[in-house]
Amino acid sequence: MPRVPIEKLITPGVISEVRNALERDWLATKRLEYHMELEKTWTPPYPELYQEMLQLHTKTEKQGKNIFYVNRWMTHLFHNKATVFYWTEAANHSPFVGPTILGGIWNVWHNAIGREPQIHLDEFFAVPVNISPKYSRKIQEILRAHESICAQVQGTSEDEHGVSKLISDQVQDRHDPRYFKFQPLCRALIAVFDEYLFVAAKTHVDGYRHYDDVARAQTILLVRTGYENGLSAPITFDSLKNEALPLARSENLEGIDIIRIPLQVGVRFVANLLLREEAAFPESVVSGSHLSKEADHPNMKWRRDAFEWGEERLASAQERGQIAPFSTAAEVKNVVMENTGLDERPQFYAPYFRPNWV
């Protein structure tokens, strides 16, 4: 027996409301998947714990020179990031430090950047890279490593045709150079997290522990790399001098433009630099309206995928006889929704990178 068109079962107003709810439902699932992926990416190595934070590797050329590199199948993680967050062994306090620091950064970053998380573009403050004690003792070594990684990422981006055949569709989408770019700012400035200060975070009156309580106790080093081609203006730390802390490094730092500041201050500083560059080069903003309406843009792909998923949910419910004639929107949503409640979570609310933390 042919299926009765949905338009003959429920009113246009109900159909529209349900389709909008299904789109939010699909996006809620994608947000959850993205947050889980970020949590793993921001978890540094710890004994007997699965993690996916990028590792810095080295190989020796014939001339005896060390070359630094990361897993080439993961270089897409550098796209649409404002900086690189070098995480040293000294900051590996416990397996929960990574998600906690991530939560604190997430809160500050999206407040400072002033827009909803562009998760379909994997747009964020930084990509974290774990660096071993052998190469994190000196800032000059970290800068050398950064230079090598930048060359690798740019080289991989120019050879995506060969890579695309060997990677998943989800990752392949992140290799479209029109929408996923290695930003000049990411090459010009790095952050180094070389010490974790333990904080006994207490539960607040809202029933949660807060990432910010831990984040405000942490510090990072910001370091100019000296490579500022493509920026609208040189980077300067003049505005941070009142926030500067002792460098607490035993090496000779002469000739290196470096500053230690509170983590949250550093995140806001990088956000302001990114906004400066976007204002100077609006055509480079991958989330801008001039690009986001293009058919191949991730924003449009997500909208199509969300709509198709919603139509499949509606059709399946119809075939099972779960949608009665003249059903209300609430009745239909009760049948077809997967994430009741999740779709209502505010965009700027911190994800559950850790249970009972916000």
Side-chain angles (χ1 to χ4, degrees):
M1 181 177 178
R3 177 160 52 90
V4 177
I6 190 75
E7 290 79 8
K8 292 188 176 181
L9 288 177
I10 52 181
T11 67
V14 169
I15 293 174
S16 177
E17 183 177 340
V18 170
R19 281 175 172 160
N20 288 336
L22 282 167
E23 182 176 348
R24 295 196 303 271
D25 191 32
W26 186 88
L27 289 172
T29 299
K30 289 298 176 183
R31 282 200 300 271
L32 181 60
E33 290 173 356
Y34 181 71
H35 297 157
M36 293 173 65
E37 182 182 330
L38 263 188
E39 179 186 346
K40 289 188 290 185
T41 302
W42 279 79
T43 300
Y46 207 78
E48 301 178 1
L49 180 70
Y50 178 70
Q51 51 76 37
E52 291 185 1
M53 183 178 285
L54 281 174
Q55 305 294 298
L56 182 69
H57 302 290
T58 60
K59 59 183 177 182
T60 304
E61 290 189 327
K62 292 180 180 179
Q63 298 86 348
K65 181 182 178 181
N66 282 338
I67 297 296
F68 299 92
Y69 67 98
V70 294
N71 184 335
R72 79 168 297 202
W73 312 117
M74 303 298 284
T75 55
H76 64 276
L77 293 175
F78 290 82
H79 296 157
N80 295 346
K81 304 301 188 301
T83 189
V84 180
F85 194 86
Y86 288 100
W87 191 300
T88 72
E89 191 76 21
N92 289 0
H93 178 78
S94 82
F96 305 112
V97 168
T100 306
I101 295 299
L102 169 61
I105 290 173
W106 178 279
N107 288 340
V108 177
W109 178 254
H110 291 299
N111 273 332
I113 215 73
R115 58 176 174 250
E116 294 180 356
Q118 305 292 306
I119 64 175
H120 53 289
L121 294 168
D122 197 20
E123 181 186 73
F124 194 45
F125 161 67
V127 53
V129 176
N130 187 254
I131 186 166
S132 71
K134 181 177 180 181
Y135 300 109
S136 62
R137 292 192 187 99
K138 293 184 177 181
I139 295 298
Q140 193 61 56
E141 279 292 283
I142 299 177
L143 288 172
R144 244 184 13 98
H146 184 69
E147 183 180 2
S148 290
I149 292 173
C150 289
Q152 179 194 0
V153 173
Q154 290 181 312
T156 303
S157 298
E158 292 166 2
D159 185 32
E160 296 303 5
H161 179 70
V163 174
S164 64
K165 297 176 182 177
L166 303 174
I167 55 181
S168 70
D169 290 341
Q170 181 182 16
V171 172
Q172 186 172 330
D173 284 343
R174 296 183 188 176
H175 284 256
D176 190 327
R178 291 173 296 174
Y179 314 122
F180 295 89
K181 301 179 180 181
F182 184 56
Q183 306 287 359
L185 183 58
C186 195
R187 183 164 191 170
L189 182 73
I190 64 170
V192 179
F193 187 46
D194 61 351
E195 181 185 18
Y196 173 77
L197 298 177
F198 175 76
V199 175
K202 297 179 180 179
T203 302
H204 286 240
V205 293
D206 60 5
Y208 296 98
R209 295 178 180 180
H210 289 194
Y211 298 123
D212 295 346
D213 291 344
V214 176
R216 69 171 56 97
Q218 311 307 319
T219 71
I220 56 172
L221 294 164
L222 288 183
V223 191
R224 292 175 63 192
T225 66
Y227 191 95
E228 298 185 352
N229 291 13
L231 294 185
S232 63
I235 297 171
T236 173
F237 295 146
D238 290 349
S239 64
L240 298 174
K241 286 183 178 178
N242 290 337
E243 304 277 2
L245 302 166
L247 289 175
R249 301 285 298 192
S250 59
E251 67 205 272
N252 180 6
L253 295 170
E254 186 177 351
I256 299 176
D257 199 355
I258 182 172
I259 191 169
R260 183 181 294 277
I261 48 176
L263 170 65
Q264 294 174 316
V265 173
V267 173
R268 281 192 289 269
F269 177 77
V270 175
N272 288 332
L273 281 177
L274 179 63
L275 292 173
R276 182 193 78 176
E277 294 307 302
E278 290 182 345
F281 306 110
E283 71 283 354
S284 70
V285 182
V286 293
S287 60
S289 58
H290 65 294
L291 290 178
S292 60
K293 301 300 182 184
E294 292 182 357
D296 291 335
H297 192 280
N299 174 59
M300 299 303 291
K301 287 185 177 181
W302 276 40
R303 292 179 70 91
R304 289 194 298 271
D305 289 347
F307 180 80
E308 291 170 5
W309 179 85
E311 293 304 288
E312 289 173 3
R313 298 285 297 177
L314 280 171
S316 177
Q318 262 187 279
E319 290 172 359
R320 295 195 302 268
Q322 294 177 304
I323 301 178
F326 310 109
S327 292
T328 65
E331 290 169 337
V332 179
K333 285 193 282 187
N334 189 53
V335 171
V336 298
M337 297 280 283
E338 280 194 349
N339 299 300
T340 305
L342 274 180
D343 61 306
E344 303 299 332
R345 284 173 62 84
Q347 288 278 4
F348 284 88
Y349 196 67
Y352 293 138
F353 295 123
R354 290 188 64 182
N356 302 316
W357 284 70
V358 294

